[in-house]
Each structure stands twice: as C-alpha cells, then as structure tokens.
Amino acid sequence: MIGILLASHGRFAEGMLDSSHLFFGEDIPALETLCLMPEDSPDEYAEKLEKKVLKLNDGDGVIVLCDLLFGTPCNMCASLMSDDVKVLCGANMSLLLELLGKRNAQAEDGKYPSVKEIDIKELVKTGSDGVCDLEEKIGE
C-alpha cells in the first residue's frame, strides 16, 4: 500500500490527519505526519523525514504531501524524490481525500496500486480544483 506522509510547518499536518478520520475512520494504515516545529533544525527535520519515508515504503512507494512550495518541509523532501517517492506541494483536504480513495482502491487481483500507477497530475488537479471562490461557484 502506498505510504502517505503529511509534512507541514507547525501542526497543520496533524489537523489534516485528524480530519481524514471523519471520512476514513480512526485506523488509516500507512498515513503519518511530520510537523516542523520552531525547535527543529532543518537537519533534524531532514533526518526525521528520511526515517518516516523509509518506514512508510513497503515497496509500493510513498507520496509526501507538503503544505507549502519551497518551505523547509518541501525543500527537505527534494533529495528523497525518486520513482518511488513523489512530493506534492500545497496540501489540502481535497488532495488528501482523493489520494486516500485512490490508494485504497484494490484492483481485481486484490492488489493496491503503487506510486507508479497513481496519476499524479490528476491528484494535483483535484487539489487545485478544491481551491475556489464559493460565491463564484454558487453563481455557476
């Protein structure tokens, strides 16, 4: 199963994890957070990040959702990117829920998809489509 790591400044990632329980229940496998706190140095954070990614990768890969493009969590992920580790920035609930749904969809053979089988562009579109002006949407 694809591992998912929510990486953020402060406790934003923990809030997303908490909210995801409303949709997917209390026990969501292979979903963890890593929050950058004021007392963490970039080097300490990078070390924790690498350990989390290794722990979450059972062979199907890992997708890291970062809160902010070019923030420290994002920057520390750059060296981990590979065919098996994808990093998406601008994390929001639309993106997380879509990823959880796609990740949990078993094929006919009972296998879960790997990172290589997930359409990253489609995930990014779902996340970006979730950002809108409600007044404009209601008027459509």
Side-chain angles (χ1 to χ4, degrees):
M1 177 175 278
I2 296 169
I4 301 171
L5 179 60
L6 306 175
S8 70
H9 295 82
R11 302 207 183 280
F12 177 70
E14 290 175 356
M16 288 181 61
L17 174 64
D18 186 55
S19 293
S20 67
H21 292 259
L22 294 170
F23 299 91
F24 287 89
E26 286 299 315
D27 185 26
I28 304 174
L31 174 59
E32 295 195 16
T33 64
L34 186 58
C35 300
L36 176 66
M37 302 308 288
E39 61 272 11
D40 295 328
S41 74
D43 289 338
E44 290 170 334
Y45 189 82
E47 187 178 316
K48 291 176 188 177
L49 184 66
E50 186 173 359
K51 286 179 182 176
K52 288 265 188 177
V53 167
L54 288 171
K55 176 184 171 190
L56 285 167
N57 193 353
D58 69 358
D60 287 326
V62 175
I63 296 178
V64 182
L65 302 184
C66 294
D67 61 347
L68 185 63
L69 178 63
F70 299 130
T72 299
C74 166
N75 293 343
M76 296 298 110
C77 286
S79 65
L80 301 176
M81 291 187 303
S82 68
D83 287 341
D84 287 334
V85 179
K86 302 299 178 188
V87 179
L88 305 181
C89 301
N92 61 36
M93 285 305 295
S94 298
L95 174 58
L96 175 57
L97 296 176
E98 183 74 9
L99 175 55
L100 284 167
K102 291 192 176 303
R103 177 198 68 171
N104 293 346
Q106 289 179 308
E108 289 180 20
D109 62 4
K111 288 189 165 189
Y112 292 102
S114 72
V115 165
K116 295 171 187 169
E117 298 164 321
I118 293 285
D119 187 339
I120 298 295
K121 288 182 181 184
E122 185 180 314
L123 284 174
V124 170
K125 181 171 178 0
T126 298
S128 65
D129 286 350
V131 177
C132 68
D133 176 349
L134 181 60
E135 185 175 6
E136 184 180 299
K137 280 287 186 192
I138 291 173
E140 288 181 356

